[in-house]
């Protein structure tokens, strides 16, 4: 494929919203395409611009995007300067390549395991920095350190395992919470339910920020279970744990 054909293919991946896809085969095909771009960039410098866009717009890894972009960066170009600054201030959660994702996860009360596939990585030689267990699923999602500030763990050294999230050890040890601290202000819910969602459930609430809704839906005096996100319809699906009723949230128009 020519440079323009590869560029058009990348634009198509962006338009398709592949970064939201739950289809692992589709995602794996994208990562194979990205590998080809990186190979071509080693001999044709212009491809680094495509690699940078792929890491920034789809993978969500500003560090990798910046590394590639610096190969073609022009300090005299104002757009290039702005893009470089954007990489330094970007916050989010990168996509985990399917073949690196954890294959098995424990059950969480408020989030379906299928939603969590992209938040945990299993790597050889990896160990939890809290319980020191090896060959466990390590967290690569976000965490709140205050009500308006988040950090992402994909590139941090102090990685911790899924079990240390589930039993609350990670939150207590590191002084973090996984879903919005604003949830603690919801007096209509029991403290144990709030603690379960805020401190012992992998982060999902930030995904709802583009919805004109509350921070997490509830029904029958309890928080609902987050079932799935339909990327094509831009809809979030929840289910009541007690009556089985379905609640659907839509992205703002």
């Amino acid at each position: 494929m020519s440079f323009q054909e590869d560029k058009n293919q990348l634009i198509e991946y962006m338009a398709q919203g592949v970064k939201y896809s739950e289809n692992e085969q589709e995602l794996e095909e994208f990562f194979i395409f990205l590998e080809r771009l990186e190979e071509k960039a080693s001999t044709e410098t212009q491809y680094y611009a495509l690699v940078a866009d792929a890491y920034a717009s789809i993978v969500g890894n500003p560090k990798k995007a910046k590394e590639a972009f610096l190969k073609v960066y022009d300090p005299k170009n104002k757009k290039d300067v702005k893009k470089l600054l954007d990489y330094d201030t970007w916050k989010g959660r990168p996509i985990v390549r399917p073949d690196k994702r954890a294959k098995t996860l424990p059950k969480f009360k408020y989030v379906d395991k299928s939603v969590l596939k992209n938040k945990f990585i299993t790597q050889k030689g990896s160990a939890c920095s809290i319980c020191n267990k090896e060959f466990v699923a390590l967290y690569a999602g976000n965490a709140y350190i205050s009500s308006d500030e988040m950090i992402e763990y994909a590139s941090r050294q102090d990685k911790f395992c899924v079990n240390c999230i589930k039993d609350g050890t990670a939150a207590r040890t590191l002084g973090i919470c996984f879903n919005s601290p604003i949830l603690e202000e919801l007096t209509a819910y029991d403290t144990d339910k709030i603690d379960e969602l805020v401190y012992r459930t992998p982060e999902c609430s930030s995904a709802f920020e583009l919805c004109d809704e509350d921070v997490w839906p509830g029904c029958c005096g309890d928080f609902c279970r987050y079932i799935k996100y339909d990327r094509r319809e831009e809809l979030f699906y929840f289910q009541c744990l007690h009556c089985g009723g379905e609640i659907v949230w839509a992205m703002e128009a």
Side-chain angles (χ1 to χ4, degrees):
M1 295 177 70
S2 67
F3 176 82
Q4 188 58 51
E5 289 173 325
D6 283 326
K7 183 177 181 179
N8 291 340
Q9 179 64 67
L10 179 59
I11 291 172
E12 185 176 342
Y13 276 124
M14 292 178 184
Q16 290 173 347
V18 69
K19 66 179 178 180
Y20 302 114
S21 177
E22 295 179 5
N23 185 316
E24 294 194 354
Q25 182 177 347
E26 185 178 51
L27 282 170
E28 187 62 26
E29 288 174 358
F30 161 73
F31 276 100
I32 292 172
F33 169 73
L34 177 54
E35 284 182 341
R36 289 202 298 266
L37 292 184
E38 291 177 311
E39 289 175 4
K40 291 181 178 181
S42 64
T43 56
E44 299 180 59
T45 306
Q46 62 180 339
Y47 273 92
Y48 279 114
L50 299 185
V51 173
D53 286 343
Y55 274 113
S57 301
I58 298 179
V59 181
N61 189 326
K63 182 179 178 181
K64 287 279 191 180
K66 184 176 180 179
E67 288 176 359
F69 187 64
L70 284 172
K71 303 287 187 180
V72 292
Y73 168 67
D74 180 2
K76 296 180 180 179
N77 186 316
K78 291 183 178 181
K79 290 184 178 180
D80 282 9
V81 173
K82 182 182 183 302
K83 182 177 284 190
L84 204 62
L85 290 173
D86 288 342
Y87 292 151
D88 289 332
T89 57
W90 185 91
K91 291 182 179 179
R93 178 175 55 83
I95 292 176
V96 177
R97 187 167 182 169
D99 65 358
K100 292 184 178 180
R101 295 179 182 181
K103 301 304 179 186
T104 58
L105 293 172
K107 181 178 180 180
F108 287 90
K109 180 179 180 181
Y110 295 121
V111 182
D112 190 85
K113 288 190 287 188
S114 63
V115 178
L116 302 177
K117 285 184 177 181
N118 191 39
K119 296 180 186 290
F120 293 91
I121 304 174
T122 301
Q123 296 176 317
K124 291 183 179 180
S126 60
C128 175
S129 59
I130 295 177
C131 68
N132 297 318
K133 289 183 179 178
E134 298 181 343
F135 305 108
V136 289
L138 299 179
Y139 188 57
N142 295 325
Y144 290 81
I145 55 177
S146 67
S147 60
D148 59 355
E149 187 173 0
M150 297 179 70
I151 53 177
E152 55 92 6
Y153 276 88
S155 59
R156 293 175 65 94
Q157 296 299 314
D158 52 342
K159 295 185 185 298
F160 44 85
C161 71
V162 62
N163 292 319
C164 283
I165 294 178
K166 189 170 177 61
D167 66 15
T169 306
R172 290 194 303 271
T173 302
L174 300 172
I176 57 178
C177 55
F178 294 99
N179 286 292
S180 178
I182 297 174
L183 289 161
E184 295 183 288
E185 300 173 10
L186 303 179
T187 56
Y189 296 90
D190 296 338
T191 300
D192 61 337
K193 292 183 175 67
I194 294 174
D195 286 347
E196 174 87 16
L197 181 55
V198 175
Y199 296 102
R200 301 193 300 277
T201 301
E203 180 267 324
C204 288
S205 62
S206 69
F208 317 143
E209 290 176 356
L210 296 178
C211 295
D212 186 21
E213 301 283 357
D214 296 326
V215 291
W216 198 288
C219 186
C220 297
D222 200 353
F223 295 109
C224 292
R225 184 175 176 81
Y226 177 26
I227 302 299
K228 68 175 181 177
Y229 169 61
D230 185 326
R231 67 185 180 91
R232 289 185 169 81
E233 298 294 330
E234 297 186 332
L235 298 174
F236 295 92
Y237 288 84
F238 302 85
Q239 186 174 42
C240 177
L241 293 166
H242 305 280
C243 71
E246 183 180 77
I247 295 177
V248 182
W249 277 5
M251 300 274 281
E252 288 186 77

